[in-house]
Amino acid sequence: MDLTLKVWRQADRKSKGNFETYQIKDISPDSSFLEMLDELNEQLIREGIEPVAFDHDCREGICGMCSLFINGRAHGPGHETTTCQLHMRKFKDGDTIVIEPWRAGAFPVIKDLVVDRGAFDKILQAGGFISVNTGNAQDANAIPIKKFQSDEAMDAAACIGCGACVATCKNSSAMLFVASKVSHLALLPQGKVEAVRRAKAMVAKMDELGFGSCTNTGACEVECPKGITLTHIARLNREFLSANLKP
Amino acid sequence: MAYFLNSSIGKKFLVSLSGLFLISFLFVHLTANSMILFDSSGELFNRTAHFMATNPIIRVVEPILAIGFILHILYTVILTIQNWMARPIGYHKQQRAFSSTWSSRNMIWLGLVILAFLIIHIANFFWKVKFTGDPLLGKVDYDGVEMENTYHLVTTFFIQWWWIVAVYVIGAVALGFHLTHAFWAAFQTLGWSDNCWRKRLNALGLVISIIIAGGFAIIPLWVKIASMI
Ligand code: HEM
Ligand code: SF4
Ligand code: FES
C-alpha cells in the first residue's frame, strides 16, 4: 500500500508544532499501524530527518501506552482496538491518514505524538487503591462475592488507562477512566471499606487537574478499547453523591 | 457543601435536578395551553389561566420555577465554559458524529435558543398579564367571575404575526432536541441508570420530547391555520 501521512510534529512541550506530510510506499496490509510508523521512521532516518516520537510498549493491546488520534478517531478506525492492534488493512491504498496526539489540557504534548498522561497516575494516587496489611496471601474464595458483582468489577478492571476516553470526549473528561477505577473497587468487599474517601478524593483530583465534566454524550464508551460502559459512570455518580450527601 | 457544589459532579447534580423540575413544569404548562385547542370561544383557556394565576400552590411554585431556570442556566454555562477550557488546542480532524448524537454535542446552543425564546415569550405574555397589562387584554366575565381575556391576547399575537408563530415553533423544536438527550442524561447524572435502564429511559425520553415539542408547536400553528380557514 502507498500512503500519504499527515503527522503532527512538535519538538518539545513549549514549541508550537505543525503538521508535516510524508509519503510512504509498499506497506503490507498485514502490518500493524505501529509497524507502519516504524517503517516511516526508518525512512526518515535514512533521509536524515528526526524520526516521529510516539508511545507504545506491549504492542498486544494490554498496556495502554499506545495512543494516537487517527483520521479523527481515538485509536483510529475499528471497534475496541488499541492503535497497536489496528492493522493497515483497515485503510485503502492511496489513503491520506491524519495522525494527531491526544488533545487535552491535562495531557500536554511532550514531543510529536507523545503526551504526558501523568495526570492519570495522580488520580490513581489520590484513591485508586486499597489499603491492606502485607503478609501471607489469603486463601482464594475466602470472601464470597456475588457473580454479578465479580463480573462487573472484572469488566471495570479491564481499563488499561490509555486515555482514549479523554481524547475523544468533547469536554476532555476523565469520567470513564475514574468511573472504571471507582466502580471496580467499590464493587468488591476489599474496596468497599474506603469507597467514600476514594470517590471524593479521585473526583477532587480529576477536577483539580483540569479535566472537563461529563455531559453524557457517550463518545468515551464508543472509543474505549476495552468496552467500559457508561453504566460505570452512573455508578461513580452514585458513589460520589452518596459519599457527599451522607451526613 | 461548598466543596460538593464546586465539584463537577455536584454541579451536574444541580443541573440534573433543575432540569427534571423544568420538565415537570413543561407538562403542567402544556396541559394548560392545550385548552386553547379545545375551545375556540376561549372560555376554557381563560378559566384555566385564571385558575393558574390565582391558585396558591402555583403562586408558591412560581418563584421556585424562576430559581430552577436560573440555577440550570448558571450551572450549565459555567460547566460548558470549563469544558471548553479543558481542551485549549483542538483536533485538526475529528469524526464527532461517529461516537455521539448531535443533540448531546449541542446542548448549550439548543439551551441558548430556548433561552432566547423564553425571553421573547415572557415579554409577549407573562410580563403583560402579570405586570404591565396590554390593550389586547380586555376583561371577560364568566358566571359573574371577572377575569382577563388571556385567550384574546395569545391568539391575536399568533394570528397577526407569522414570525411569532415561527419563533414558537423553533423554540419548541429546540426544546424537543434538548430533551432527547437531557431526559436520560438527568437520570444518568443522578446515578440512576445502567445498561438496561438506559434503553428504557432513552425511549421514554424520545416519547416525552415528541409530546413536548409537538404539543408546544401545534398550538400556535393551529391558531394561525384555524384563523385562515
Ligand atoms: C424548559 C427548559 C429546559 C429544560 C426542561 C431543560 C432540561 C435539561 C435536562 C433534564 C438536562 C440534563 C441534565 C444532565 O445532563 O444531567 C439538561 C442539560 C443541559 N441544559 Fe437544559 N433544560 C432547559 C433549558 C435550558 C436552557 C435555557 C439552557 C441555556 C443555557 C440549557 C442548557 C443546558 C445544557 C448546556 C445542558 C447540558 C449540561 C451538561 O450535561 O453538563 N437548558 N437540560
Ligand atoms: S476507560 Fe477505556 S478509554 Fe478510558 S483509559 Fe480506560 S481503557 Fe482507555
Ligand atoms: S502498545 Fe500496549 S496497548 Fe498498545
Side-chain angles (χ1 to χ4, degrees):
Chain A
M1 303 167 80
D2 296 348
L3 301 161
T4 304
L5 305 176
K6 263 186 91 171
V7 185
W8 182 259
R9 301 302 312 256
Q10 182 172 336
D12 52 37
R13 263 175 208 266
K14 294 207 184 68
S15 33
K16 222 171 139 279
N18 60 285
F19 281 100
E20 289 290 343
T21 306
Y22 304 111
Q23 306 292 336
I24 183 162
K25 289 194 190 336
D26 296 327
I27 293 295
S28 157
D30 295 328
S31 63
S32 77
F33 199 85
L34 297 186
E35 283 163 347
M36 183 276 291
L37 286 181
D38 292 338
E39 292 202 31
L40 170 70
N41 277 345
E42 305 242 338
Q43 176 182 322
L44 293 181
I45 290 167
R46 278 195 302 274
E47 291 167 6
I49 303 172
E50 169 101 6
V52 179
F54 61 90
D55 260 332
H56 61 100
D57 187 17
C58 71
R59 296 209 177 191
E60 53 186 13
I62 54 173
C63 75
M65 263 320 268
C66 56
S67 45
L68 304 190
F69 213 74
I70 303 163
N71 273 351
R73 287 185 56 198
H75 292 301
H79 181 59
E80 294 189 12
T81 25
T82 53
T83 298
C84 59
Q85 297 296 297
L86 176 67
H87 287 87
M88 295 314 293
R89 50 181 168 270
K90 289 271 181 190
F91 300 89
K92 287 196 302 288
D93 187 36
D95 271 1
T96 298
I97 305 177
V98 181
I99 310 171
E100 299 174 73
W102 283 174
R103 291 290 189 195
F107 287 167
V109 173
I110 300 172
K111 188 178 164 94
D112 296 339
L113 301 170
V114 178
V115 297
D116 179 358
R117 281 170 282 185
F120 270 9
D121 297 331
K122 293 192 185 119
I123 295 177
L124 286 180
Q125 282 156 10
F129 52 81
I130 57 167
S131 311
V132 285
N133 294 322
T134 51
N136 279 346
Q138 214 170 7
D139 281 347
N141 299 328
I143 307 171
I145 299 168
K146 289 205 179 81
K147 168 97 172 103
F148 168 79
Q149 276 166 345
S150 82
D151 284 355
E152 282 278 300
M154 199 63 192
D155 287 349
C159 167
I160 53 177
C162 65
C165 42
V166 174
T168 207
C169 173
K170 78 174 178 62
N171 312 322
S172 302
S173 169
M175 282 286 276
L176 196 66
F177 168 75
V178 175
S180 71
K181 304 302 169 195
V182 164
S183 187
H184 155 44
L185 295 173
L187 280 161
L188 299 174
Q190 295 90 333
K192 274 217 174 78
V193 188
E194 293 162 291
V196 167
R197 196 186 55 78
R198 176 181 310 113
K200 284 186 179 172
M202 291 182 81
V203 170
K205 193 46 108 183
M206 166 186 97
D207 289 347
E208 180 201 314
L209 292 169
F211 292 101
S213 64
C214 177
T215 53
N216 307 315
T217 69
C220 53
E221 165 192 83
V222 175
E223 298 294 26
C224 171
K226 296 297 155 185
I228 310 283
T229 63
L230 296 191
T231 294
H232 296 287
I233 295 188
R235 187 173 293 112
L236 166 62
N237 286 335
R238 220 149 55 223
E239 289 287 326
F240 182 82
L241 293 174
S242 63
N244 277 283
L245 302 176
K246 247 183 230 153
Chain B
M1 202 61 192
Y3 160 67
F4 176 68
L5 291 182
N6 261 323
S7 70
S8 56
I9 302 180
K11 288 193 207 96
K12 289 247 32 199
F13 179 69
L14 287 184
V15 171
S16 163
L17 286 187
S18 59
L20 287 175
F21 174 64
L22 293 179
I23 293 177
S24 63
F25 148 77
L26 288 177
F27 273 99
V28 177
H29 194 21
L30 181 60
T31 312
N33 287 10
S34 62
M35 299 306 152
I36 293 177
L37 301 178
F38 300 122
D39 175 12
S40 58
S41 79
E43 180 176 344
L44 194 56
F45 179 67
N46 280 336
R47 279 180 183 273
T48 310
H50 182 68
F51 170 79
M52 295 301 245
T54 51
N55 186 309
I57 298 176
I58 304 285
R59 293 280 63 84
V60 174
V61 175
E62 208 164 73
I64 304 178
L65 180 65
I67 295 170
F69 267 112
I70 292 168
L71 278 183
H72 191 81
I73 295 167
L74 184 70
Y75 278 103
T76 52
V77 168
I78 294 175
L79 283 169
T80 304
I81 292 174
Q82 285 180 336
N83 290 343
W84 285 340
M85 291 192 328
R87 176 164 294 143
I89 301 169
Y91 290 103
H92 173 70
K93 178 173 178 186
Q94 186 171 14
Q95 297 185 37
R96 291 206 152 137
F98 181 83
S99 49
S100 59
T101 62
W102 182 84
S103 300
S104 75
R105 277 176 277 128
N106 290 287
M107 290 298 273
I108 189 66
W109 307 116
L110 291 167
L112 290 175
V113 171
I114 300 170
L115 180 61
F117 163 79
L118 204 65
I119 293 169
I120 297 175
H121 175 56
I122 288 177
N124 275 353
F125 300 139
F126 181 81
W127 206 255
K128 291 180 179 160
V129 176
K130 188 120 179 148
F131 303 114
T132 57
D134 192 89
L136 291 169
L137 257 183
K139 296 279 181 208
V140 281
D141 192 298
Y142 301 116
D143 308 327
V145 185
E146 191 180 77
M147 56 187 75
E148 279 164 324
N149 196 349
T150 318
Y151 182 83
H152 186 62
L153 173 72
V154 172
T155 51
T156 310
F157 256 94
F158 292 148
I159 292 167
Q160 268 182 357
W161 294 293
W162 260 115
W163 71 268
I164 297 260
V165 175
V167 163
Y168 275 70
V169 172
I170 291 169
V173 170
L175 184 56
F177 279 106
H178 198 74
L179 294 184
T180 53
H181 177 66
F183 185 73
W184 160 76
F187 290 93
Q188 167 80 5
T189 300
L190 299 178
W192 208 42
S193 175
D194 58 23
N195 290 341
C196 185
W197 274 97
R198 181 174 174 188
K199 295 194 193 90
R200 296 174 190 165
L201 288 167
N202 263 325
L204 186 60
L206 185 63
V207 173
I208 286 176
S209 311
I210 293 171
I211 293 175
I212 297 273
F216 279 113
I218 278 172
I219 294 167
L221 284 172
W222 173 270
V223 170
K224 178 76 189 169
I225 291 165
S227 75
M228 299 192 303
I229 48 178

